[in-house]
Amino acid sequence: MTPTRRTAVLIGGLFLLSEVGAIVARLLYAPVLNTPSYVTGTGRDPSVALGVLFEVLLVIAVVGTAVAIYPVVRRRSPRLALAYVAARILEASIITVGTISLLTVLLLRQQPHGADEGTLEVVAAALLALQDASLLFGQGFALGTGSIVLAWLMYTSRLVPRFIAVLGLAGGAVITLSTVLVIFGLYGQFSPIGLLVALPVFAWEISLALWLIIKGFNATALERVEESRVGTERAKYSAITN
């Protein structure tokens, strides 16, 4: 297996890990999300704690995809490649804020309740609202803009089939627009419409991941991109020396 092929498998695996981390974490968070008086309970909650760990894996996978794919896509456009890394780091940072807010609720539950239970519930509700906001901006706006950048790089370089890249362009645009519509109250973040518009970007990441794992990058396209990069560097060197 060539280094480029190993890189493709790694990137695909990280994309899949990010999807697994996001979905499993949300399922494990059910007790804290669906129980208004959760924070006033007692004892440890292994389910929520495990959800936090899965979100940590999600954050690692999000940053990992950007770091792993950067050397490949920078051959096409260093600026756009750097923009993609920045978008993924922003996404991971926002997700981390939401993870910390949920972890705080879990820790408050485990502490002796010296404060009024009503006050604790208000604080917990605020932290959960912060978690929802982080989900909206992290796995909504930041994910959408990053998907558009990467999909455009894939489309113009033809490193993967264009139908996958088009799916990424459409999915990224839809979920980015959806973030704005949710902010203005046109529909709820977790309404049927809100969940439906997340499907295209989910399909984009899954299809890209599977293609990279099974097929890898288009070898001909890689050679063409590398030749273009070398030609550009020679032209810059020639312009400087002359």
Side-chain angles (χ1 to χ4, degrees), residues 88-131:
R88 292 299 264 181
I89 291 176
L90 175 62
E91 178 187 348
S93 300
I94 297 173
I95 293 172
T96 301
V97 171
T99 305
I100 292 173
S101 68
L102 277 174
L103 180 60
T104 303
V105 175
L106 180 61
L107 294 176
L108 284 173
R109 172 187 169 93
Q110 296 173 5
Q111 299 298 320
H113 297 159
D116 177 74
E117 290 188 354
T119 302
L120 282 175
E121 291 181 3
V122 170
V123 172
L127 290 168
L128 291 178
L130 176 61
Q131 200 275 339

Side-chain angles (χ1 to χ4, degrees), residues 26 135 175 178 182 187-202:
R26 193 70 187 177
L135 183 65
I175 199 167
S178 176
V182 169
Y187 51 81
Q189 182 178 359
F190 302 107
S191 66
I193 297 177
L195 297 176
L196 184 63
V197 297
L199 291 179
V201 75
F202 172 77

Side-chain angles (χ1 to χ4, degrees), residues 82-220:
L82 188 60
Y84 178 68
V85 173
R88 292 299 264 181
I89 291 176
L90 175 62
E91 178 187 348
S93 300
I94 297 173
I95 293 172
T96 301
V97 171
T99 305
I100 292 173
S101 68
L102 277 174
L103 180 60
T104 303
V105 175
L106 180 61
L107 294 176
L108 284 173
R109 172 187 169 93
Q110 296 173 5
Q111 299 298 320
H113 297 159
D116 177 74
E117 290 188 354
T119 302
L120 282 175
E121 291 181 3
V122 170
V123 172
L127 290 168
L128 291 178
L130 176 61
Q131 200 275 339
D132 286 344
S134 69
L135 183 65
L136 180 65
F137 277 90
Q139 292 167 282
F141 183 80
L143 171 61
T145 54
S147 295
I148 292 172
V149 172
L150 181 59
W152 179 251
L153 287 168
M154 294 291 107
Y155 183 86
T156 55
S157 64
R158 299 193 180 188
L159 291 174
V160 298
R162 282 195 161 179
F163 77 89
I164 296 179
V166 169
L167 183 59
L169 289 170
V174 167
I175 199 167
T176 302
L177 177 61
S178 176
T179 301
V180 178
L181 297 180
V182 169
I183 291 172
F184 282 94
L186 272 71
Y187 51 81
Q189 182 178 359
F190 302 107
S191 66
I193 297 177
L195 297 176
L196 184 63
V197 297
L199 291 179
V201 75
F202 172 77
W204 140 254
E205 291 200 342
I206 292 296
S207 60
L208 177 63
L210 293 178
W211 184 271
L212 292 178
I213 292 172
I214 297 171
K215 295 288 188 177
F217 293 110
N218 184 312
T220 302

Side-chain angles (χ1 to χ4, degrees), residues 19-99:
E19 297 296 338
V20 171
I23 294 172
V24 174
R26 193 70 187 177
L27 294 174
L28 291 171
Y29 285 155
V32 65
L33 297 176
N34 301 328
T35 308
S37 59
Y38 176 86
V39 70
T40 59
T42 57
R44 300 181 182 276
D45 192 332
S47 173
V48 177
L50 187 58
V52 170
L53 292 180
F54 268 95
E55 268 206 342
V56 171
L57 289 178
L58 165 62
V59 169
I60 293 172
V62 166
V63 176
T65 54
V67 173
I69 207 170
Y70 175 77
V72 179
V73 295
R74 73 178 298 274
R75 303 173 189 175
R76 177 61 184 176
S77 173
R79 291 182 179 178
L80 287 180
L82 188 60
Y84 178 68
V85 173
R88 292 299 264 181
I89 291 176
L90 175 62
E91 178 187 348
S93 300
I94 297 173
I95 293 172
T96 301
V97 171
T99 305

